Amino acid sequence: MSYQPKPNTWTLFQNTRKTNDTQPDYTGSAFLEMPDGTPKEFRLSAWKRVSKSDVKFIGGFIKPKEDQAPKLLDESAAAGAGDQDPW
């Protein structure tokens, strides 16, 4: 049985593949029920931050999942053109 997220929930996981500071500290997804009742999935990217008053917080971005670039292996990717991170 695979995991099925419940409407209006989100999950973040620590980014264990992070190689530089511009990449998110956490990534995950949110599963929201829209006002018309349709479900929609979002991608989450979050970074650990510290405010000017030295308060720690987490901030980030939310993008609809369908906005993500598909990870397809084609001739241009094999030639090195696809080396950019889709995030």
Side-chain angles (χ1 to χ4, degrees):
M1 183 174 158
S2 66
Y3 171 72
Q4 293 294 319
K6 294 182 178 158
N8 302 317
T9 61
W10 57 271
T11 306
L12 284 175
F13 296 95
Q14 186 173 8
N15 183 2
T16 58
R17 296 182 287 169
K18 182 175 176 164
T19 58
N20 65 56
D21 287 339
T22 62
Q23 294 173 325
D25 295 308
Y26 300 93
T27 60
S29 61
F31 187 71
L32 302 178
E33 187 174 311
M34 299 291 102
D36 66 0
T38 59
K40 190 164 185 174
E41 192 170 1
F42 294 84
R43 297 288 304 151
L44 306 175
S45 300
W47 288 262
K48 295 185 270 186
R49 305 282 190 203
V50 179
S51 72
K52 291 179 183 179
S53 58
D54 206 32
V55 175
K56 294 178 182 179
F57 68 98
I58 295 177
F61 296 101
I62 301 172
K63 291 202 266 186
K65 188 168 183 177
E66 60 268 10
D67 286 353
Q68 299 295 309
K71 294 182 179 181
L72 300 175
L73 180 61
D74 60 18
E75 292 175 28
S76 62
D83 290 345
Q84 291 181 326
D85 187 1
W87 293 95

